[in-house]
């Protein structure tokens, strides 16, 4: 606590460089990181739902998410091929 009070009263905060806009909360990088975090939480929730609520074994949940990943990759590949042509 004392170190923080000294940091403020001695105005040591003036010597610290501000966060660049690249790492600001509203930057593209931080928004992307937030989206990935939300996706991981959705996957975690989905895994819990499949295993705890529906009673699917853990390997079955992994298989569902693996197949969903493959299917999504195929769809995105198809879309990029059609749009690129």
């Amino acid at each position: 606590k004392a170190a923080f009070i000294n940091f403020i009263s001695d105005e040591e905060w003036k010597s610290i460089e501000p966060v660049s806009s690249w790492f600001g909360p509203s930057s593209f990088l931080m928004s992307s990181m937030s989206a990935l975090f939300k996706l991981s939480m959705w996957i975690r929730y989905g895994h819990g739902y499949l295993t705890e609520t529906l009673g699917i074994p853990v390997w079955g949940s992994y298989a569902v998410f693996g197949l969903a990943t493959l299917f999504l990759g195929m769809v995105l590949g198809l879309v990029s091929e059609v749009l690129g042509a």
Side-chain angles (χ1 to χ4, degrees):
K1 180 178 173 181
F4 180 69
I5 292 172
N6 289 337
F7 178 77
I8 300 299
S9 63
D10 296 341
E11 296 184 356
E12 293 176 25
W13 53 271
K14 289 184 178 181
S15 65
I16 295 178
E17 190 173 323
V19 174
S20 71
S21 62
W22 182 248
F23 294 108
S26 61
S27 70
F28 175 74
L29 178 65
M30 290 299 134
S31 296
S32 300
M33 292 297 292
S34 173
L36 286 174
F37 180 74
K38 289 177 184 177
L39 176 64
S40 70
M41 294 305 293
W42 182 84
I43 290 172
R44 181 179 178 195
Y45 171 78
H47 174 73
Y49 177 76
L50 290 174
T51 57
E52 295 170 10
T53 305
L54 299 180
I56 295 174
V58 172
W59 63 267
S61 174
Y62 290 161
V64 167
F65 281 109
L67 291 172
T69 301
L70 289 173
F71 179 73
L72 182 61
M74 290 186 328
V75 168
L76 290 175
L78 180 63
V79 168
S80 69
E81 184 66 31
V82 168
L83 293 178

